[in-house]
Amino acid sequence: MTDALLIPCPHCHSLNRIPAARLGEAPRCGRCKSPVLPGKPFAVDAAGFAAQLKGDLPLLLDVWADWCGPCKAFAPVFDQAARELAGRVRLAKLDSEAEAPLAGQLGIRSIPNLILFRAGREVARQSGALPLPQLLAWLRQQGV
């Protein structure tokens, strides 16, 4: 196993090689200088989605909509999970209204919907809002 991880920048989508030992040191993108691991969920759109699937850290995608009450209630839980899981998994949000074609491509039928990607492939899916302990337990079951 190598000690460097490839991680896409959530802002410019370029891949960054980051030593595993330095993940907790707020690494910055070599191209745009933005934080690579911002410690909070970042927005994903159709243009950058494929780039965000690349890299060595899993990506947990929360598919939501502004009009969805359970989505709004789940947002603080997702924010807290991003802080707790920094360096182990990246958390992103996809607005299913603004990005309806991508949500359709992903087969979204209900929201909120969580999709875990590893090595560019979907490995698990969970529908509905979860309390933080349940979300963390689900991610542990998935090997995160």
Side-chain angles (χ1 to χ4, degrees):
M1 182 170 174
T2 180
D3 69 338
L5 300 173
L6 287 176
I7 303 173
C9 174
H11 305 283
C12 73
H13 311 300
S14 62
L15 280 175
N16 292 270
R17 185 176 306 275
I18 300 172
R22 299 195 64 195
L23 289 177
E25 298 177 16
R28 295 201 166 268
C29 176
R31 184 177 185 191
C32 73
K33 308 302 182 215
S34 296
V36 175
L37 299 170
K40 63 182 180 181
F42 59 92
V44 170
D45 59 17
F49 178 69
Q52 292 305 318
L53 293 180
K54 297 177 183 173
D56 297 323
L57 284 183
L59 176 71
L60 180 61
L61 184 66
D62 173 21
V63 185
W64 68 285
D66 192 45
W67 52 263
C68 170
C71 297
K72 288 183 176 186
F74 180 63
V77 171
F78 202 65
D79 289 345
Q80 187 175 353
R83 289 188 298 275
E84 290 190 24
L85 297 168
R88 294 192 339 220
V89 63
R90 298 174 310 120
L91 279 72
K93 296 180 79 69
L94 175 69
D95 182 345
S96 63
E97 290 290 304
E99 300 293 338
L102 179 55
Q105 235 180 314
L106 293 170
I108 301 302
R109 301 282 180 249
S110 64
I111 53 175
N113 201 308
L114 299 172
I115 307 173
L116 181 63
F117 295 92
R118 186 177 285 124
R121 295 178 186 235
E122 180 180 332
V123 294
R125 188 178 285 232
Q126 172 70 45
S127 293
L130 300 172
L132 184 63
Q134 235 179 316
L135 173 61
L136 297 175
W138 179 73
L139 286 169
R140 274 192 304 277
Q141 288 176 343
Q142 310 309 320
V144 173

